[in-house]
Amino acid sequence: EFFHQGDKEREKGLPISFLMDRYTTNIAAAQGGFIDNFIRPAYDLLHSILPEAIVNIRQMEQNKIKWKELEADYKPENKFTQKEMQDDSDDSRSDRQEVDVEE
């Protein structure tokens, strides 16, 4: 949905909003920021009332480490976007035969 918004902004000649450009957004870096600014504070609050959430916090920290490792290798030209996945999916469906299903 973020990239879709950026596509629409590009089509209209508008400046593309932060993190909305499918061609330049470093998804790994964006995930780290999302974890730090939204997910971690929410889980810290949850942990304060549900100590068992520490398991989730530990997993979140492992995820953040993995995203950080991926961040350094990011190259926009190597990125596989949602649009490209959809295009590939559409191509693979072109040879499928449609079948009517009766209810």
Side-chain angles (χ1 to χ4, degrees):
E1 70 202 51
F2 290 103
F3 291 156
H4 181 71
Q5 177 178 327
D7 293 343
K8 293 295 183 189
E9 291 170 345
R10 181 180 285 106
E11 287 172 14
K12 294 179 180 189
L14 298 170
I16 300 172
S17 301
F18 181 62
L19 299 176
M20 307 284 179
D21 190 338
R22 74 174 65 249
Y23 302 108
T24 60
T25 298
N26 184 327
I27 295 172
Q31 289 298 318
F34 184 71
I35 290 169
D36 288 342
N37 294 301
F38 296 99
I39 304 303
R40 182 62 196 236
Y43 271 91
D44 285 344
L45 180 60
L46 179 62
H47 181 249
S48 71
I49 58 173
L50 183 67
E52 294 84 358
I54 191 66
V55 173
N56 303 93
I57 291 173
R58 289 181 184 138
Q59 181 61 55
M60 175 192 56
E61 289 300 328
Q62 291 301 308
N63 291 348
K64 186 178 168 192
I65 290 167
K66 185 61 177 174
W67 281 116
K68 189 67 175 170
E69 290 169 2
L70 294 171
E71 185 179 330
D73 295 330
Y74 172 80
K75 293 180 181 66
E77 64 273 13
N78 294 337
K79 186 172 60 156
F80 197 64
T81 66
Q82 288 284 346
K83 181 170 179 10
E84 291 165 332
M85 291 190 307
Q86 179 63 42
D87 291 346
D88 283 351
S89 178
D90 290 345
D91 290 344
S92 69
R93 281 188 256 156
S94 63
D95 61 347
R96 292 184 187 168
Q97 189 175 28
E98 287 192 30
V99 178
D100 289 328
V101 177
E102 293 181 25
E103 291 184 24

